[in-house]
Amino acid sequence: MPELPEVETVRRLIAPHVVGHTIAGVELDPAFPDVLEGPDGIDPVAGIVDRTITGAQRRGKYLIFPLDNGMSLVIHLRMTGRLLLTEHDAPPVRFQHAALALDNGMDLRFGDQRKFGRIRLTLPDEIEALSARLGPEPLDASFTGDRLYAALQRRPGKIKPVLLDQHLVAGLGNIYVDEALFRTRIHPLTPANTLGRDDAGRLVRAIRHVLRGALANQGTTFSTFENPYGEAGSNASFLNVYGKGRHGFPCPRCGTPLEHLVVGGRGTTICPRCQRHEAHARRDD
DNA sequence: ACACTGCCCTGCGAGC
DNA sequence: TGCTCGCAGGGCAGTG
């Protein structure tokens, strides 16, 4: 599922082919035209045809393509969404729901097996509101251990759902939260406000480490992620714990069989020895 | 203000 | 082998 490294990979590869180019036409899947949304009273197709894309930005897991009319195309891939660059005449990509024809003979195609992803024509104040309610970018200098520590102090809930909360820090999903918690040896059920300032600092460094590594590998392809050329990312083989399939496999650090649990409704893999939790330690022996 | 649940959606793997 | 069933989960609305 696309998280920050995957979305950023898409952005980097798409940008040179779309920025400065005009959208010549839009084709929507008749069975799913709502994949393209717009503000109330604005026809999204009419709002983007003949508009020029002036940039390619990312905020958290959102892709933002500003247009020359002041509005922006905001795309969220959610679980299984894909953006692909193709020749204009190429056949539809798998699960294609939208095709934006560009003036350079290329198409930007959006496909999504599970129809969770959306393309939204967005007004400037909507973009500001979106960005304002998201937490800091984890790779920005503004995301410091002290800042995370202060935020965690206000959160008595489990650390894993807290880190998945995009309002606290933007761009983390299930994969990189599991990896960062493993790196810092923090159990996902640990109450966030019981973590110390040093824990928060280690978490910030671990989050940056796993995100930078994934970026260098052009993202993690666990099942469906592809870059805009249809290529898988290579980061999956560098993951330490993520994935239900790892249950029972030896921890890469200590060899203890990894455990799978559900935290906040999300599949979670931990090393029960490296990531100790009070409740666990007391439970059986 | 926060935590928690359910909803959306469908290919695929597990189980029989 | 072929079928059914439920899992996968990001973001958001609704509820407590």
Side-chain angles (χ1 to χ4, degrees):
Chain A
M1 45 244 74
E3 306 180 26
L4 187 153
E6 291 75 32
V7 177
E8 177 65 15
T9 295
V10 170
R11 187 198 70 76
R12 288 178 183 177
L13 294 178
I14 282 181
H17 299 277
V18 303
V19 176
H21 290 286
T22 299
I23 299 169
V26 178
E27 201 171 320
L28 299 177
D29 174 4
F32 186 39
D34 291 346
V35 68
L36 178 63
E37 307 174 318
D40 287 346
I42 296 181
D43 172 24
V45 172
I48 63 177
V49 170
D50 293 335
R51 298 273 62 86
T52 298
I53 297 171
T54 61
Q57 306 159 357
R58 181 192 55 76
R59 181 77 174 91
K61 302 175 196 170
Y62 292 86
L63 286 163
I64 302 171
F65 300 96
L67 306 176
D68 64 354
N69 62 354
M71 301 180 76
S72 298
L73 277 180
V74 176
I75 300 179
H76 200 299
L77 302 173
R78 294 286 185 104
M79 312 292 296
T80 50
R82 296 179 305 155
L83 280 175
L84 292 153
L85 287 165
T86 71
E87 299 292 325
H88 178 62
D89 295 335
V93 302
R94 199 153 150 79
F95 308 116
Q96 178 173 313
H97 302 304
L100 307 188
L102 303 169
D103 65 1
N104 58 359
M106 308 268 304
D107 266 22
L108 186 59
R109 307 279 183 91
F110 177 81
D112 189 358
Q113 171 195 126
R114 285 163 70 180
K115 299 183 178 177
F116 280 13
R118 290 293 184 277
I119 305 173
R120 181 174 177 83
L121 181 65
T122 308
L123 297 163
D125 55 347
E126 282 184 80
I127 300 267
E128 283 181 32
L130 170 70
S131 189
R133 68 171 182 264
L134 292 175
E137 288 290 321
L139 294 178
D140 277 5
S142 62
F143 183 59
T144 64
D146 281 354
R147 179 169 179 172
L148 179 63
Y149 176 70
L152 296 184
Q153 290 308 104
R154 296 188 290 268
R155 304 292 292 262
K158 307 160 192 152
I159 184 63
K160 173 160 177 174
V162 166
L163 291 176
L164 287 171
D165 183 349
Q166 304 297 299
H167 308 97
L168 191 107
V169 53
L172 297 180
N174 212 26
I175 298 174
Y176 301 111
V177 166
D178 269 15
E179 292 296 315
L181 288 174
F182 172 77
R183 243 189 115 68
T184 50
R185 305 178 186 235
I186 295 171
H187 195 284
L189 294 176
T190 308
N193 62 0
T194 65
L195 292 169
R197 198 176 289 273
D198 55 333
D199 292 319
R202 285 163 48 230
L203 261 177
V204 165
R205 287 193 294 277
I207 288 166
R208 289 213 175 103
H209 178 90
V210 298
L211 293 180
R212 287 199 182 111
L215 269 172
N217 295 320
Q218 303 211 57
T220 298
T221 296
F222 196 64
S223 54
T224 60
F225 173 69
E226 290 179 349
N227 74 20
Y229 302 116
E231 302 159 340
S234 63
N235 197 60
S237 56
F238 297 94
L239 298 178
N240 282 303
V241 291
Y242 177 80
K244 195 173 184 177
R246 292 287 179 88
H247 173 78
F249 280 71
C251 166
R253 190 159 49 205
C254 75
T256 301
L258 298 175
E259 282 184 6
H260 186 264
L261 56 157
V262 175
V263 180
R266 304 286 195 275
T268 302
T269 306
I270 63 161
C271 170
R273 184 171 174 211
C274 296
Q275 295 163 272
R276 284 186 288 267
H277 181 55
E278 289 299 317
H280 270 243
R282 285 197 204 108
R283 194 180 52 199
D284 285 319
D285 42 20

